[in-house]
Amino acid sequence: MKNPEQLIRRGIHRNGIAEGAVKAFLGGITWAIIAIALLIFGRMIVDGAPVFFKKEAPFVDIAFLTQKTETLHIFDDAEGNRHQLPASEFHRWTGEHGEGAVFNEQTFAYSGGGIAGPIVGTALLTLLSVAMALFFGVCAAIYLSEYAKQGRFIGWVRLAILNLAGVPSIVFGLFGFAVFVLAAPVFTDTPSDRTLLAIPLGFTHLSFEGWGSSLIAGAATLACMILPVIITASEESLKAVPQGFREASLALGATRWHTIRKCVLPFALPGILTSSVLSLARAAGETAPIMFTAAVAAKDDLPWEGIKSPLALFSGQVQALPYHIYTLAARIPTSEYTERAQFGSVFVFLLMIFLFSAASVVLRNRVRSKLKW
């Protein structure tokens, strides 16, 4: 028998080239992906950070975050000085100097003022959609994991849920437009002419005329889109809880629901919150679903301004950062005057997603630190 050490050495030497080639190939692909991502995100951060941060206190451009989106006016005055003013300041300036003092005027829509409306709209859409998806998703996961009789049919249901996760977001947008915008039921005394079906209830009508393009329609569409991820992750988290917890609780006389509520759900909560982290980032970043159901390019008021009741908040259209960025990138020519709005919006959008994800991770870690098993 030959010396094992020599065999091992020869083997290592003979496979070293192949192993090295595989390692170099995989490493090259990995570092190429990282390099491309750094180039793209680095450009966004380098050009967007100066818009968001300032050298003097409070070191953040508060006006960019709190002002509404306006049209940017570029013009020269009689002395040849060039001005860049949002619409409100431009009208104030022309009121003082007269419109005859404006020369070489150019306008760029959505590029002046700030992005308060898109920030508020994105936050409302994201939080509302995640809340809806968590409620329905966790309920479905509990049923599939704890109550449903395991068999071929339930296996098909799980397969269908997994397939839903791969459906393009534009399809969810069209689905939301057809279901929530045009056909969802509402209670009304006077059904619309375009109602699909109106059922008289005596004191009012149940009319299938849809919710229209609104915050609630957009949030419901986003909730449908992230629902498969939440159901799958929540079910896996429930299955990870040891079966002994359930058996001990049932042996002590607890009901099935009491066992789930007290012995299973608390230990599955960190995993469920992990799915919410993934869902938050996706819901905040999607553009296609809200194009058909909720988003509007420009709006004079914030969602809660001018409404007569709190429920009216859900029936109005909102601005959203992804749609705002799409509008700036696709409809506005890139120039030195529009870069502030474009790169600033992208930087704030990335920062917003980071904060949402960080908050979810912190919440998950705090819940996990309290559980010992």
Side-chain angles (χ1 to χ4, degrees), residues 138 142 237-238 241 245 257-273 364 366-373:
V138 172
I142 291 174
S237 302
L238 291 169
V241 179
F245 286 20
W257 172 240
H258 189 82
T259 299
I260 294 171
R261 190 162 55 89
K262 293 293 186 179
C263 302
V264 179
L265 269 180
F267 293 97
L269 195 55
I272 295 173
L273 291 177
R364 180 193 62 185
R366 289 191 63 179
V367 173
R368 180 176 290 174
S369 65
K370 296 178 181 178
L371 301 175
K372 297 185 183 301
W373 52 297

Side-chain angles (χ1 to χ4, degrees), residues 118-165:
I119 291 175
V120 170
T122 303
L124 290 174
L125 280 170
T126 304
L127 296 177
L128 188 58
S129 63
V130 171
M132 295 168 67
L134 276 176
F135 174 76
F136 290 105
V138 172
C139 289
I142 291 174
Y143 173 76
L144 292 174
S145 174
E146 306 293 332
Y147 287 101
K149 184 179 180 181
Q150 305 302 316
R152 184 175 298 177
F153 177 73
I154 294 298
W156 289 345
V157 171
R158 290 195 178 95
L159 182 60
I161 292 172
L162 289 175
N163 288 333
L164 274 178

Side-chain angles (χ1 to χ4, degrees), residues 72-358:
L72 181 65
H73 292 258
I74 311 296
F75 63 94
D76 297 329
D77 59 18
E79 287 77 25
N81 299 317
R82 173 134 290 203
H83 297 269
Q84 302 180 34
L85 298 177
S88 57
E89 296 183 21
F90 172 75
H91 294 311
R92 194 179 306 122
W93 193 92
T94 54
E96 296 175 358
H97 299 82
E99 295 185 359
V102 176
F103 302 94
N104 304 321
E105 182 185 2
Q106 294 178 285
T107 58
F108 297 93
Y110 319 122
S111 300
I115 54 172
I119 291 175
V120 170
T122 303
L124 290 174
L125 280 170
T126 304
L127 296 177
L128 188 58
S129 63
V130 171
M132 295 168 67
L134 276 176
F135 174 76
F136 290 105
V138 172
C139 289
I142 291 174
Y143 173 76
L144 292 174
S145 174
E146 306 293 332
Y147 287 101
K149 184 179 180 181
Q150 305 302 316
R152 184 175 298 177
F153 177 73
I154 294 298
W156 289 345
V157 171
R158 290 195 178 95
L159 182 60
I161 292 172
L162 289 175
N163 288 333
L164 274 178
V167 173
S169 58
I170 188 71
V171 177
F172 278 105
L174 294 173
F175 166 80
F177 179 76
V179 175
F180 301 117
V181 176
L182 298 180
V186 296
F187 291 100
T188 177
D189 295 334
T190 55
S192 170
D193 294 337
R194 58 179 177 80
T195 181
L196 301 177
L197 175 66
I199 302 174
L201 301 177
F203 59 96
T204 186
H205 290 77
L206 180 63
S207 176
F208 291 83
E209 60 188 49
W211 299 333
S213 182
S214 58
L215 170 64
I216 187 66
T221 305
L222 289 174
C224 292
M225 192 186 64
I226 61 179
L227 203 53
V229 176
I230 290 182
I231 293 176
T232 304
S234 300
E235 190 180 0
E236 293 301 323
S237 302
L238 291 169
K239 289 180 179 177
V241 179
Q243 189 65 22
F245 286 20
R246 299 174 178 81
E247 295 172 352
S249 176
L250 294 173
L252 291 174
T255 62
R256 175 71 68 88
W257 172 240
H258 189 82
T259 299
I260 294 171
R261 190 162 55 89
K262 293 293 186 179
C263 302
V264 179
L265 269 180
F267 293 97
L269 195 55
I272 295 173
L273 291 177
T274 300
S275 66
S276 73
V277 174
L278 302 174
S279 305
L280 270 173
R282 189 177 182 194
E286 286 293 342
T287 305
I290 58 175
M291 286 175 61
F292 301 104
T293 56
V296 62
K299 190 176 181 182
D300 293 333
D301 299 325
L302 294 176
W304 53 79
E305 291 180 342
I307 60 175
K308 297 181 180 178
S309 70
L311 292 179
L313 173 70
F314 301 103
S315 61
Q317 288 183 300
V318 294
Q319 292 179 281
L321 266 176
Y323 189 64
H324 182 65
I325 294 170
Y326 162 76
T327 304
L328 290 173
R331 301 183 183 179
I332 309 301
T334 300
S335 70
E336 58 179 313
Y337 305 114
T338 60
E339 285 186 351
R340 171 181 177 271
Q342 293 171 347
F343 285 105
S345 299
V346 171
F347 182 80
V348 172
F349 183 47
L350 293 176
L351 192 64
M352 199 170 174
I353 291 178
F354 172 77
L355 292 177
F356 276 153
S357 301

